[in-house]
Amino acid sequence: MTTSVTIGNLQVTALVDLTPPPRDVSMIFPDVPAADWEPHQALALENGMWQTQYCSFVIRPASGEGPVVLVDTAMGPGPHEPDGVPGRLLEELAVNGVEPGEVDFVITTHPHGDHVGWNVTYDGDTARATFPNAQYVVSRADWDQWTSAAVAPNVPAIGHSLQPLEGLGVLKLVDGEQEIAPGIKTLPANGHTPGHQCVLIESGGESGVVIGDLFHNLAQVTQTAWCPMFDWNQDMARTSRRDILGRASSGGWTVFAGHLRIGRNIGKVTGSRERFTWQPV
Ligand SMILES: [Zn+2]
């Protein structure tokens, strides 16, 4: 089971915070007829159901010298429905030799609740940064959207896990492509949310991309038009999906997909816009 891949001098490791119960794809992709899933049963579903995972990725120099970057903070401490299990991200980091204080940057692909859960930890009502020495990188378009008076009060994760970053003095808003650490930069891929961003990794002539929620299910690699109900602007999401997959294919990028199952969520993409194919590494 591959959970760690080296891109040039940078090591990228998948960390599973939580594995939720399988879900019915017809609920997640309401516009896709059930029969259209048939060709994808073997690769994209398990017993006809969508089994996702909530993953973060840690990127650090293979030498051990240099910034440690965490992409997304998954579901958080919990306890989570339906079994009351806690998130495991901090244990997964520890197993991989990373203490919270060693994380220099937390890059948020987008502030949905399953990507910001460990941002802050509460002592009673008091929030503290779970990664106390990190700057938390959030796209300005998402910050503006999700913290707006019209949206924030209706989305508990925003008040709980996103807005406290500003008062804690750890928030770093970015626009467009911006280098965060050597060889690591934000790559806008809007549509899932207004400011959704991937993370591009370039080192030693090799490239990789952490895709956030560019796609949720492997079937979307070939069926790039399929959108889950979570996509904010479906046309924009499709355009971003095809653009990034095309660049990954032509550039030989390694792709890190947090919602695919661990062990098959790191792969390469081949083909073109007409038909992309996923090859796990
Ligand atoms: Zn997600």
Side-chain angles (χ1 to χ4, degrees), residues 110 114-115 213 259:
H110 64 292
D114 57 323
H115 295 258
D213 283 5
H259 280 309

Side-chain angles (χ1 to χ4, degrees), residues 50 52-55 72 75 109-110 112-115 192 196 212-216 230 258-259:
W50 177 48
T52 191
Q53 238 153 11
Y54 300 117
C55 278
D72 289 334
M75 286 292 284
T109 61
H110 64 292
H112 281 166
D114 57 323
H115 295 258
H192 180 61
H196 180 272
D213 283 5
L214 190 72
F215 59 85
H216 288 70
F230 319 116
H259 280 309

Side-chain angles (χ1 to χ4, degrees), residues 2-243:
T2 304
T3 58
S4 195
V5 167
T6 300
I7 306 292
N9 300 317
L10 295 171
Q11 186 182 38
V12 187
T13 304
L15 309 165
V16 180
D17 187 42
L18 190 75
T19 303
R23 294 169 79 172
D24 180 348
V25 280
S26 71
M27 308 279 287
I28 308 298
F29 295 85
D31 300 331
V32 178
D36 290 6
W37 281 98
E38 281 309 318
H40 305 283
Q41 287 284 349
L43 282 176
L45 300 181
E46 293 179 31
N47 301 317
M49 303 283 278
W50 177 48
Q51 179 61 69
T52 191
Q53 238 153 11
Y54 300 117
C55 278
S56 299
F57 292 91
V58 66
I59 311 168
R60 55 196 160 150
S63 66
E65 297 294 318
V68 176
V69 175
L70 182 65
V71 182
D72 289 334
T73 65
M75 286 292 284
H80 298 292
E81 301 287 343
D83 302 323
V85 295
R88 286 184 40 85
L89 179 60
L90 298 192
E91 290 158 84
E92 289 270 297
L93 282 167
V95 164
N96 284 280
V98 179
E99 294 300 319
E102 295 176 304
V103 175
D104 297 290
F105 298 96
V106 175
I107 303 179
T108 301
T109 61
H110 64 292
H112 281 166
D114 57 323
H115 295 258
V116 295
W118 281 101
N119 276 4
V120 295
T121 308
Y122 281 85
D123 300 319
D125 291 337
T126 305
R128 61 178 176 82
T130 306
F131 305 97
N133 300 315
Q135 284 189 294
Y136 287 67
V137 178
V138 178
S139 80
R140 189 180 306 275
D142 267 349
W143 177 266
D144 289 348
Q145 157 88 3
W146 292 96
T147 63
S148 68
V151 175
N154 304 312
V155 186
I158 299 303
H160 188 274
S161 302
L162 187 71
Q163 287 175 310
L165 300 177
E166 186 173 34
L168 291 167
V170 296
L171 178 67
K172 177 183 172 72
L173 295 179
V174 295
D175 295 297
E177 292 188 20
Q178 190 158 328
E179 183 173 77
I180 305 302
I184 301 171
K185 69 178 181 183
T186 57
L187 181 63
N190 306 154
H192 180 61
T193 61
H196 180 272
Q197 55 190 353
C198 299
V199 177
L200 183 62
I201 306 159
E202 296 172 303
S203 177
E206 298 178 342
S207 300
V209 65
V210 183
I211 61 152
D213 283 5
L214 190 72
F215 59 85
H216 288 70
N217 186 288
L218 210 45
Q220 291 176 277
V221 174
T222 43
Q223 298 296 334
T224 54
W226 291 8
C227 289
M229 61 183 184
F230 319 116
D231 283 348
W232 164 73
N233 181 318
Q234 295 199 346
D235 283 338
M236 200 184 288
R238 290 182 186 108
T239 299
S240 291
R241 194 174 301 127
R242 289 162 181 157
D243 173 50

